[in-house]
Amino acid sequence: MTAATDPVSVIGAKRDGGELTTGQIDAVVAGFTAGTVAPEQMSALAMAIVWRGMSRREIADWTAAMIASGRRMDLSGLARGGRELRTVDKHSTGGVGDKITLPLTPLVASYGLAVPQLSGRGLGHTGGTLDKLEAIPGWSASVTPARLRAQLLEVGAVICAASDDLAPADRALYALRDVTGTVASIPLIAASIMSKKIAEGTGALVLDVKVGSGAFMTTYDDAAELARVMVELGSDAGVRTCALLTDMSSPLGRSAGNALEVAEAVEVLAGGGPRDVVELTLALAREMLAAGGLPDVDPAEHLAGGQAMDAWRAMIAAQGGDPGAPLPRAAETCSVAAPSSGFLTRLDALAVGLAAWELGAGRSAPGAAVSPSAGVTWHAAVGDRVSEGAPLLTLHADDPARFDRALARLDGAYEVTSDAPAGLPPVDRVIGRVDPSPASG
Ligand code: URA
C-alpha cells in the first residue's frame, strides 16, 4: 500500500514517529511551494520533525524536494584564458562577529578560483553578510544570474543575494520556522543550507560549523552531527564538501555590527586585523584552495602582498560600491569599563550578539531596516590582560535610548579573574573537522 500524501496524513505519520516516504516528502514540499499546503500545516510538520527527527534518506529527499522547488543555477563552463574556472564556496552556520566571508571571498578569488557567495541577511542576534556590505556607500546586493557569471569571470568574486527562485520552498519554510520555534533541528538546518548551496551550482563547498553559545549548535556533538549530515548531502550531490568545526563561545574578532565589521575585514585585507579573524580566514582559505585544486598555496601571501585587497576593491566596485568611501559612524557611543584588573576569562557570544541587535545592528522581523553603524566593539579578547577602569566594551548606536537594553543584555556576560584562564580554544578557532567518507562523493 502506498502511504497517503495529503498533508494531514503526512503530519500524523511524522508526529507518530514514522519515516516519511519520498512521495510524501515530494508532495508536501511541492504543495507548500504551490500554496496548497497551508503554512499552519507546514509549521505543524516542522515541529513534528523537530521532535521526531529524520533518517538520512528523509533528509536527502527533503533537500532534493527543496532544490526542485526552484531553479538550479549552472556555473559550469566559466573559462578564463582558455582554462575552466573552478568554483568554490564557503558557508558558515552563523555566529557573532562572523565577518569571515568579507576577507575570505576576495582572498580565494585572488588565486584564480571563482567564488560565488550567495548570502543572506541577518535575523536575530547573528549578523547577515549582505547587511554588513550594505554599509558600504553605493553597494548593491542584487546581481542578475547573467551578471553573476560575468563578475565571476572578470573579478572571480561575487557576494550577493540569492535570487527568489533559488530553493523558494526553503525561503518560505525558513520564515515560518523562525516564528514557530522550529529552527533548532539538525535535519531542517542541514536541508535548508544544503538545498541552497547545491542549487547555487558550486563545484566545491567548505562549511564552517560553529559551536558554542553564539551558534545554533551549542554542543560539539550536535555540531559534528550537523557537519556530517551536510558533508554527506553535498558529496552525494557531487559537490566536493568538507566542514571545519569552529569555536563560537566568544564572539569573533573585536566587533559585531555592520560597518564595524566591514572596517575590521578591511584591516585584515590590509595585512592587519584581529588574530582570530586572520587565522580563521586563512584556515578556511586553505580548505577552499585545496578543494579548488591548489593544496600547496599559502594564502597569507596574498593578504601580505595586497592581491586580496585588490580583489576586494574590484568586487565592491563591480556592485556599485565605493571601496574608498568613509563608512557610517554611530552618532552616540557608551563605554563599559573593566570591573577589575586581571584576565578576561569569558565574553559570551550570544550576549554580545543580542546587545548589538538591541543597538539596531540586527532586525526583529524580516524586511525591517538595520542600522549600518550600530554595534559593539570589545577591546580585549578572551585570555587578554585587562586593567580596572579601562574600556572593555564600546556600544555604538544612533539613538542613545537603546543603550539601557543593550547594557542589560551584557549583564553577567563577561568575567575578569586574577588568574590566567586555562584551556583557551585555539587562536584559529578550529576545534574539529569532517571530511567525506571514502565511500561518498
Ligand atoms: N541557515 C540557513 O540557511 N538555514 C537554517 O535552517 C539555519 C541557518
Side-chain angles (χ1 to χ4, degrees), residues 23 113 280:
L113 299 180
L280 183 52

Side-chain angles (χ1 to χ4, degrees), residues 91 93 170 174 177 183 188-189 192-193 196 216:
H91 182 84
T93 55
D170 175 64
Y174 193 77
R177 288 168 57 212
V183 170
L188 291 177
I189 294 175
S192 166
I193 292 173
K196 287 175 286 204
F216 283 119

Side-chain angles (χ1 to χ4, degrees), residues 139-232:
W139 186 86
S140 167
S142 305
V143 175
T144 62
R147 186 60 217 142
L148 187 141
R149 280 183 76 92
Q151 191 172 324
L152 282 178
L153 279 176
E154 287 156 20
V155 180
V158 182
I159 303 176
C160 66
S163 60
D164 287 348
D165 56 3
L166 192 101
D170 175 64
R171 188 182 302 260
L173 178 56
Y174 193 77
L176 270 189
R177 288 168 57 212
D178 204 50
V179 294
T180 55
T182 52
V183 170
S185 150
I186 289 175
L188 291 177
I189 294 175
S192 166
I193 292 173
M194 294 308 293
S195 62
K196 287 175 286 204
K197 290 291 151 184
I198 295 167
E200 164 196 294
T202 186
L205 176 65
V206 176
L207 295 161
D208 177 3
V209 180
K210 303 285 188 197
V211 189
S213 76
F216 283 119
M217 296 295 132
T218 51
T219 69
Y220 184 90
D221 287 351
D222 281 349
E225 171 63 7
L226 176 63
R228 272 192 295 273
V229 174
M230 292 197 291
V231 167
E232 257 177 43

Side-chain angles (χ1 to χ4, degrees), residues 40-57:
E40 51 271 33
Q41 293 176 314
M42 198 56 162
S43 305
L45 181 56
M47 187 56 91
I49 293 169
V50 169
W51 278 97
R52 293 296 195 171
M54 276 181 152
S55 68
R56 292 291 168 94
R57 200 266 311 146

